[in-house]
């Protein structure tokens, strides 16, 4: 698998990452089952065999069970800690935790970040995280408090590098002003059917105002060597198996992917991911399938380079409209 340089972290990361969100069984407090454990082992073994070295988590995924089942699987597979890059996220507090009646909220307070990081390390059975991301912007963020937490985590050897998720350029700029460490990742939802970050640049100053207005986030990250990670890169399966009542543009994009895949003797999954890989930002898709055969189909993206014409045709088909 080809790699990207994560320059400000001194790391080389596989162009495709694996996201462990769906490995934890269910979003409830039911215990992990033997089936969950076997599934995690199989898909992680397959990811490693393809050269994937980057694994994404969050403290909330399946209420902590995704981190636990991942760590158990790595241990059972005998994977040395230093051979993989592990990232997790914190900052979202689910409703009814810790007490019934509390709302879903975001929390970037010093105490919460420190507490969350400790929980993550325990569940992942590791002394350190390669990267910790702030999961979703906290409207009540005090950047100086985040800076204090990041310093403490780094000084104690608990976290090596930091990043954000679902943040705009302005939010990153504000936070970065207070930090000693560079933010090296911004993880955002990005796929052919949800390309707001790309539309933002393409449709600026057009009439009617069709662009997303998210402040040049893609270009800001590119200019500051902040790696864009694409979550839900296959739109949760909608690009390969659209529902019969899916919007026309979704069905058209899926049909075009199937046609190109047939003509180029590759897979629809590979093409949808190659569309992200083609972007010079660059973009690292975070693959989420739990099925080894689908992972094989995804990893073929590393061999595919789309032409400019294919890239724009896919963009316009998935938008259901031309570029200006
Ligand atoms: N930062 C954030 O806010 C955020 C939010 C959501 C997710 N994430 C991260 O992004 C990762 C990926 O998200 P995602 O799972 O939504 O991404 P995805 O790769 O777009 O979707 C995977 C889902 O689609 C299904 N699927 C159906 N057909 C498929 C096919 N042909 N190929 C592959 N998958 C197919 C999979 O089911 P099967 O498992 O049965 O194949 C799985 O449920 C997560 O694991 C997590 O690490 C981050």
């Amino acid at each position: 698998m080809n790699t990207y340089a994560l320059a400000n972290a001194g790391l080389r990361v596989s162009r495709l990452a694996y996201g462990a969100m769906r490995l934890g069984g269910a979003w409830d407090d039911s215990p992990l089952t033997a089936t969950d454990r076997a599934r995690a082992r199989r898909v992680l073994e397959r990811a490693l065999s393809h050269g994937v070295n980057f694994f994404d988590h969050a403290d909330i995924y399946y209420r902590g069970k995704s981190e636990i089942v991942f760590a158990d699987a790595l241990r059972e597979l005998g994977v040395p800690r230093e051979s993989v890059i592990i990232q997790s996220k914190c900052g979202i507090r689910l409703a009814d935790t810790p007490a019934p009646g509390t709302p879903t909220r975001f929390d970037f307070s010093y105490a919460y970040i420190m507490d969350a990081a400790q929980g993550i390390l325990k569940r992942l059975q590791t002394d350190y995280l390669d990267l910790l991301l702030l999961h979703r912007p906290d409207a009540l963020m005090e950047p100086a408090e985040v800076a204090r937490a990041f310093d403490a985590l780094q000084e104690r050897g608990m976290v090596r590098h930091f990043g954000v998720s679902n943040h705009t350029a302005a939010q990153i700029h504000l936070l970065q002003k207070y930090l000693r460490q560079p933010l090296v990742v911004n993880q955002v939802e990005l796929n052919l059917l949800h390309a707001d970050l790309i539309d933002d640049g393409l449709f600026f100053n057009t009439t009617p105002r069709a662009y997303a207005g998210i402040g040049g986030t893609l270009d800001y990250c590119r200019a500051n060597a902040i790696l864009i990670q694409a979550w839900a890169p296959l739109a949760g399966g909608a690009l390969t198996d659209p529902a019969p009542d899916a919007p026309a543009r979704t069905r058209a994009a899926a049909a075009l992917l199937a046609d190109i895949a047939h003509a180029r003797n590759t897979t629809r999954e590979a093409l949808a991911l190659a569309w992200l890989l083609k972007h010079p930002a660059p973009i690292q898709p975070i693959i989420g399938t739990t099925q080894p055969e689908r992972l094989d189909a995804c990893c073929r993206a590393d061999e595919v380079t789309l032409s400019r014409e294919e890239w724009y045709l896919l963009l316009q088909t998935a938008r259901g409209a031309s570029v200006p």
Side-chain angles (χ1 to χ4, degrees):
M1 167 103 33
N2 288 299
T3 56
Y4 290 135
L6 200 51
N8 288 333
L11 293 171
R12 286 214 78 89
V13 302
S14 50
R15 287 207 299 169
L16 299 172
Y18 183 76
M21 180 176 75
R22 299 178 192 272
L23 296 184
W27 283 96
D28 59 23
D29 291 326
S30 60
L32 287 162
T33 65
T35 308
D36 299 332
R37 292 182 182 284
R39 183 185 295 122
R41 265 196 311 272
R42 271 199 307 271
V43 76
L44 291 177
E45 190 169 30
R46 192 66 65 91
L48 292 161
S49 77
H50 282 293
V52 172
N53 74 351
F54 194 104
F55 296 90
D56 178 61
H57 292 270
D59 53 355
I60 56 166
Y61 288 163
Y62 291 16
R63 296 186 180 267
K65 289 183 289 178
S66 302
E67 290 177 332
I68 292 171
V69 77
F70 169 89
D72 287 347
L74 278 199
R75 200 189 56 244
E76 286 159 20
L77 292 168
V79 178
R81 171 67 184 89
E82 298 292 336
S83 68
V84 288
I85 298 167
I86 302 182
Q87 163 177 288
S88 192
K89 316 183 204 75
C90 70
I92 299 180
R93 303 188 70 171
L94 298 175
D96 299 319
T97 56
T102 47
T104 300
R105 60 230 186 262
F106 307 121
D107 191 343
F108 289 3
S109 65
Y110 174 85
Y112 189 70
I113 293 173
M114 296 304 290
D115 194 47
Q118 262 167 12
I120 290 168
L121 293 181
K122 188 166 172 222
R123 285 187 297 276
L124 286 172
Q125 302 170 34
T126 180
D127 296 336
Y128 70 95
L129 270 183
D130 294 284
L131 294 105
L132 178 69
L133 311 188
L134 299 173
H135 205 154
R136 277 195 177 275
D138 175 11
L140 302 179
M141 171 183 76
E142 291 292 354
E145 222 180 309
V146 176
R148 195 156 65 84
F150 282 9
D151 282 348
L153 290 170
Q154 202 172 49
E155 278 157 19
R156 293 174 201 180
M158 294 165 71
V159 178
R160 295 190 172 168
H161 307 285
F162 298 90
V164 291
S165 176
N166 304 304
H167 277 57
T168 66
Q171 289 165 336
I172 298 172
H173 184 69
L174 169 65
L175 179 56
Q176 186 64 74
K177 279 186 77 162
Y178 290 78
L179 300 179
R180 287 194 306 123
Q181 306 80 4
L183 293 166
V184 298
V185 161
N186 186 18
Q187 185 178 121
V188 295
E189 182 173 9
L190 187 54
N191 59 57
L192 264 167
L193 298 173
H194 184 109
D196 292 6
L197 257 71
I198 290 169
D199 283 355
D200 185 40
L202 281 176
F203 290 90
F204 174 69
N205 206 23
T206 56
T207 308
R209 280 181 49 148
Y211 76 101
I214 39 186
T217 297
L218 201 57
D219 294 326
Y220 178 88
C221 290
R222 187 175 177 185
N224 289 282
I226 297 170
L227 180 65
I228 292 284
Q229 296 179 336
W231 64 263
L234 294 176
L239 278 166
T240 44
D241 301 291
D245 60 349
R249 69 183 186 97
T250 303
R251 286 182 280 113
L256 180 59
L257 286 172
D259 285 350
I260 303 177
H262 181 70
R264 294 192 52 167
N265 192 24
T266 185
T267 65
R268 299 162 303 164
E269 293 84 352
L271 286 170
L273 296 169
W275 186 79
L276 294 167
L277 294 175
K278 171 86 175 168
H279 196 282
I283 295 170
Q284 181 189 39
I286 313 275
I287 299 166
T289 180
T290 56
Q291 301 190 31
E293 298 71 28
R294 285 180 170 170
L295 193 70
D296 294 340
C298 291
C299 287
R300 292 190 62 190
D302 195 40
E303 323 157 344
V304 178
T305 304
L306 293 179
S307 68
R308 182 176 292 271
E309 289 68 31
E310 288 170 323
W311 193 88
Y312 273 101
L313 182 61
L314 280 164
L315 173 83
Q316 296 181 40
T317 305
R319 288 194 88 245
S322 170
V323 291

